[in-house]
Amino acid sequence: MLGVDIGGTGVRAARVADGAITSEVARVPLQVRSVGEVVSRVAELHRELGGTSVGVGMPGFVRQGVVLGSPNFPEFTGVDLAGALRDALGVPVAVGNDANAAALGLWRVRGGTEDLVLLTLGTGVGGGVILEGRPLVGRGGTAAELGHIYVGGARRCGCGGIGCLETWCGTVGLVAAAAERGHAVTCGEDLVEAAESGEVWADEVLDAAAEHLGKALVTLVNTFAPDVVAIGGGLTAARARLMPAVDWLRRYGVPPSVSRVEVIWEGAVDAFAIVGGAEFAALQARR
Ligand SMILES: [Zn+2]
């Protein structure tokens, strides 16, 4: 199987067997974010790496291979991407959301038996929910938008809502929180550095991020009762400072669900997205 991860600036792919990457991870840049460009780049990677079936993670709302909407790839709205790729490649193709791909990949790498939630703290906050071996997608393709769990506050989110988790733990939210205290940072790493060097305002921003992450963890665990909650993405470099989120969960969550959940920290999730892309193809073949 070939696992493919489509990003804003490039497409990455690798061969995957039994939940493990078995080739180099090849990457080609995207010149434009058009359907034609994406199809030809994926075809190029398929010619190079092979694969009797192909699974793709795509940013946006995807249901049964059709892109229902994608803020970063507006031209794809309504496009049957799986169908277009199948026609171009001549092999079965499955397409799903990229964050769901990362969650599904982690699920597969961990043995494919657990109910799992992945929360990714990066530029935005995303993630996926895998229950009984399947990503939770919903009929509209927009379920499990974990960055937009309401945790409070007055900052407006890129999604149009107010008080989303992303406004506390995504890069834009952290930058805004620093600016509210009169300090300019460009990323979470800057903030961690400032906190390490004893800047009280940076501590306050990270403490607030941890508290609101904790509230989101309570909601996730109370709602889905997963075996595992994995926290990944760039901000997990500040893991030690985010740990109070887990205390928050232990203190306020529903006891039977909290007592069985394991919280793990994962860092980068790029490799999981490729494994999970391939897993979309495996799920489709079993359907
Ligand atoms: Zn939002």
Side-chain angles (χ1 to χ4, degrees):
M1 281 184 295
L2 186 69
V4 179
D5 181 40
I6 297 174
T9 59
V11 181
R12 299 177 313 122
R15 292 284 294 270
V16 176
D18 297 325
I21 290 178
T22 58
S23 72
E24 56 158 338
V25 176
R27 183 181 187 282
V28 291
L30 274 184
Q31 308 300 338
V32 286
R33 294 179 185 178
S34 70
V35 178
E37 169 80 356
V38 165
V39 169
S40 42
R41 293 290 83 84
V42 175
E44 186 181 326
L45 289 163
H46 183 243
R47 276 194 301 277
E48 183 187 334
L49 295 164
T52 53
S53 64
V54 175
V56 179
M58 163 83 201
F61 307 124
V62 184
R63 184 173 164 79
Q64 294 178 350
V66 179
V67 181
L68 301 176
S70 174
N72 292 323
F73 290 81
E75 194 193 291
F76 283 65
T77 303
V79 170
D80 177 4
L81 184 58
L85 286 168
R86 191 171 54 235
D87 292 347
L89 275 51
V91 296
V93 177
V95 180
N97 168 271
D98 58 346
N100 285 339
L104 194 59
L106 177 59
W107 170 85
R108 185 67 178 80
V109 167
R110 289 179 56 87
T113 58
E114 301 158 320
D115 287 339
L116 177 146
V117 173
L118 171 66
L119 199 55
T120 307
L121 313 178
T123 307
V125 174
V129 177
I130 311 298
L131 292 179
E132 300 184 272
R134 291 195 174 270
L136 185 68
V137 175
R139 277 170 25 91
T142 62
E145 282 293 314
L146 306 186
H148 307 285
I149 292 172
Y150 176 72
V151 291
R155 273 196 293 275
R156 188 168 286 281
C157 181
C159 73
I162 292 174
C164 298
L165 176 61
E166 187 166 300
T167 69
W168 292 95
C169 296
T171 301
V172 175
L174 293 166
V175 167
E180 285 163 13
R181 290 167 173 81
H183 296 273
V185 297
T186 56
C187 60
E189 286 77 1
D190 287 356
L191 207 53
V192 176
E193 214 170 275
E196 298 298 335
S197 61
E199 299 283 351
V200 174
W201 61 269
D203 268 334
E204 287 172 5
V205 172
L206 287 170
D207 287 351
E211 178 184 325
H212 291 83
L213 175 62
K215 290 180 178 177
L217 292 181
V218 171
T219 296
L220 286 170
V221 169
N222 288 0
T223 306
F224 298 115
D227 301 294
V228 176
V229 174
I231 304 169
L235 194 61
T236 56
R239 170 187 171 166
R241 293 181 174 274
L242 296 177
M243 282 303 279
V246 181
D247 300 333
W248 193 281
L249 169 65
R250 304 264 174 234
R251 199 173 325 137
Y252 297 109
V254 172
S257 297
V258 169
S259 64
R260 63 191 291 278
V261 71
E262 183 187 356
V263 178
I264 61 173
W265 301 79
E266 281 294 342
V269 300
D270 299 8
F272 301 134
I274 289 180
V275 172
E279 197 63 26
F280 286 144
L283 283 177
Q284 179 167 281
R286 285 201 292 273
R287 200 172 285 153

